[in-house]
Amino acid sequence: MATNRAIVYIKPGVVEVQDISYPKLALGDRKCNHGVILKVVSTNICGSDQHMVRGRTTAPSGLVLGHEITGLVIEKGSDVEFMQIGDLVSVPFNIACGRCRNCKEQQTGICLNVNDSRPGAAYGYVDMGGWIGGQSEYVMVPYADFNLLKLPNKDAAMEKIRDLTLLSDILPTGYHGAVTAGVKPGATVYVAGAGPVGLACAASCHLLGAAVVIVGDMIPERLEQARSFGCETVDLRKDASLADQIEQILGIPEVDYTIDCVGFEAKGHGADAEEQPATVLNDAMNITRAGGGIGIPGLYVTGDPGAKTEAAKEGSLSVRFGMGWAKSHHFHTGQCPVMTYNRNLMHAIMNDKIKIADAVNVQVISLDEGPKGYADFDKGAAKKFVINPHGMAY
């Protein structure tokens, strides 16, 4: 009998590699003829996974983690027409049916048919439909013809697998934040957060032609990583305000566009800053010019048991929205609809228009090294950990 191993959430701060069931082409008791089974080539640890592992969501013990997946098709259902055995594919983290109104309008992050409790679903994530995650050796993907992006030249793609593995989430997510904020050639941009999504967003801003990209964080190694590919940086441990530090770079205390790549675990400023979940949103309105835009790919949740206030535990934050209204800002929130961007970004990678693995400092690790990767990432490592379950990614 075929076996399968995966990284499983146990309790706050603890994940383990465990034996799990080999995937079936089934949704509960119902045959999933539109699905495929993948041999996982690469699967990444995401900051969104870290929120769960820190105990900052209502994720249940035993959840198989992982929503950033690249794999080989090894089995397919009878209704799958366009994906073939042996295809190398990128899996958008959004699970989408391709049939509902939102999918037909390219809003695949809020598909109406794949989650009984709310619009939108993802692999291995709390409240996102109960789908089994892909930090594993094998995984089932439904609605395969619609969801999967075939990487057309398998040999060439494997040579760039460290870059292409990022198509499942963080590169489209960072790019989405930049696009929805309004970044265009010649723009000045502030990116809050130098984790992998923030760095992917900064690289995307360069791809979109921004003149100056400023990245803010509190971890020196992450700021150094941002500088390694041409970003300016601000150190949020300093007492100087964010506006003052931006003025030192640009000569004025504002930017055209801001992207929040931090989310609900944001801290205030200064060396001894404590958690203030609305900090980034309020800063964004303060330092974005009148008429500018704010993209918010950073995660905000409706249930946060680790929050410091009762309001924040249900996602209610003290946001100074009147400032944004007065300055005619536009805001864009929510999951990235990966399929809107992943094909074009694949071509950008294959034609050397973006070196995303270098920008986010990919480190390839084994499945058994996954728990240590989680621990190192939680300490602020300036790396993007890519899990290599079968030794195929390098």
Side-chain angles (χ1 to χ4, degrees):
M1 178 178 290
T3 61
N4 196 14
R5 299 166 70 238
I7 296 176
V8 177
Y9 170 66
I10 305 301
K11 62 182 181 180
V14 180
V15 298
E16 293 179 358
V17 178
Q18 295 185 354
D19 293 328
I20 66 168
S21 298
Y22 188 83
K24 298 178 180 179
L25 292 174
L27 301 173
D29 297 330
R30 181 163 54 108
K31 187 71 173 173
C32 182
N33 292 319
H34 49 70
V36 299
I37 294 173
L38 300 183
K39 180 178 183 179
V40 177
V41 172
S42 61
T43 176
N44 319 324
I45 297 175
C46 181
S48 298
D49 298 322
Q50 264 321 350
H51 293 306
M52 291 187 291
V53 173
R54 291 185 187 123
R56 297 301 298 270
T57 71
T58 55
S61 178
L63 179 69
V64 178
L65 297 167
H67 56 269
E68 301 187 16
I69 308 163
T70 306
L72 287 170
V73 177
I74 60 171
E75 184 179 344
K76 67 175 191 171
S78 58
D79 291 345
V80 178
E81 296 185 67
F82 307 114
M83 295 295 157
Q84 306 301 328
I85 303 300
D87 284 348
L88 179 64
V89 295
S90 178
V91 184
F93 77 89
N94 325 106
I95 301 172
C97 72
R99 297 156 166 80
C100 71
R101 171 183 177 172
N102 286 349
C103 284
K104 289 180 179 180
E105 294 178 356
Q106 294 191 326
Q107 297 187 78
T108 52
I110 44 174
C111 174
L112 301 174
N113 289 330
V114 288
N115 186 346
D116 291 336
S117 61
R118 64 176 70 178
Y123 305 89
Y125 206 84
V126 61
D127 296 331
M128 295 301 286
W131 298 86
I132 295 172
Q135 286 175 10
S136 56
E137 294 173 328
Y138 302 93
V139 69
M140 196 278 282
V141 173
Y143 305 104
D145 280 332
F146 182 68
N147 281 301
L148 296 178
L149 173 67
K150 180 181 175 180
L151 304 178
N153 184 325
K154 188 188 301 183
D155 291 339
M158 287 301 299
E159 291 180 6
K160 290 184 178 288
I161 194 65
R162 294 168 67 255
D163 299 275
L164 293 169
T165 190
L166 306 176
L167 284 176
S168 56
D169 183 354
I170 71 162
L171 178 53
T173 292
Y175 190 84
H176 177 65
V179 168
T180 55
V183 176
K184 61 188 69 172
T188 59
V189 186
Y190 175 67
V191 177
V197 169
L199 295 173
C201 179
S204 297
C205 291
H206 285 153
L207 187 63
L208 289 165
V212 182
V213 180
I214 305 169
V215 179
D217 205 284
M218 308 183 82
I219 300 174
E221 293 79 12
R222 288 184 168 181
L223 293 175
E224 182 179 354
Q225 182 63 28
R227 289 191 292 271
S228 74
F229 60 97
C231 298
E232 301 288 341
T233 60
V234 295
D235 188 340
L236 299 175
R237 297 172 303 166
K238 295 181 177 180
D239 291 332
S241 72
L242 175 59
D244 286 344
Q245 292 195 62
I246 288 174
E247 186 171 17
Q248 290 174 16
I249 297 168
L250 297 177
I252 56 174
E254 63 181 18
V255 294
D256 295 320
Y257 309 104
T258 295
I259 303 105
D260 172 7
C261 296
V262 178
F264 72 104
E265 287 193 66
K267 293 182 178 180
H269 299 168
D272 300 318
E274 296 184 352
E275 188 170 301
Q276 296 179 24
T279 295
V280 176
L281 298 174
N282 287 322
D283 277 347
M285 289 182 282
N286 184 46
I287 57 100
T288 302
R289 67 172 175 84
I294 299 170
I296 311 173
L299 176 67
Y300 289 86
V301 295
T302 56
D304 176 8
K308 295 183 179 296
T309 68
E310 291 303 312
K313 286 181 180 180
E314 57 180 26
S316 296
L317 307 181
S318 297
V319 177
R320 193 181 176 194
F321 189 70
M323 183 190 301
W325 189 94
K327 296 174 76 173
S328 293
H329 288 153
H330 66 261
F331 302 79
H332 197 289
T333 69
Q335 284 187 47
C336 166
V338 171
M339 277 189 275
T340 301
Y341 308 107
N342 62 353
R343 186 176 302 276
N344 287 347
L345 291 171
M346 173 188 72
H347 290 306
I349 288 170
M350 295 305 297
N351 290 283
D352 296 321
K353 300 303 181 184
I354 186 168
K355 305 282 190 181
I356 190 62
D358 291 342
V360 303
N361 196 20
V362 161
Q363 179 173 335
V364 178
I365 61 176
S366 69
L367 187 66
D368 288 318
E369 292 173 313
K372 184 178 186 301
Y374 269 96
D376 290 347
F377 192 30
D378 192 50
K379 295 173 185 175
K383 299 175 181 178
K384 174 68 171 178
F385 291 100
V386 172
I387 297 169
N388 183 17
H390 295 280
M392 300 172 69
Y394 52 87

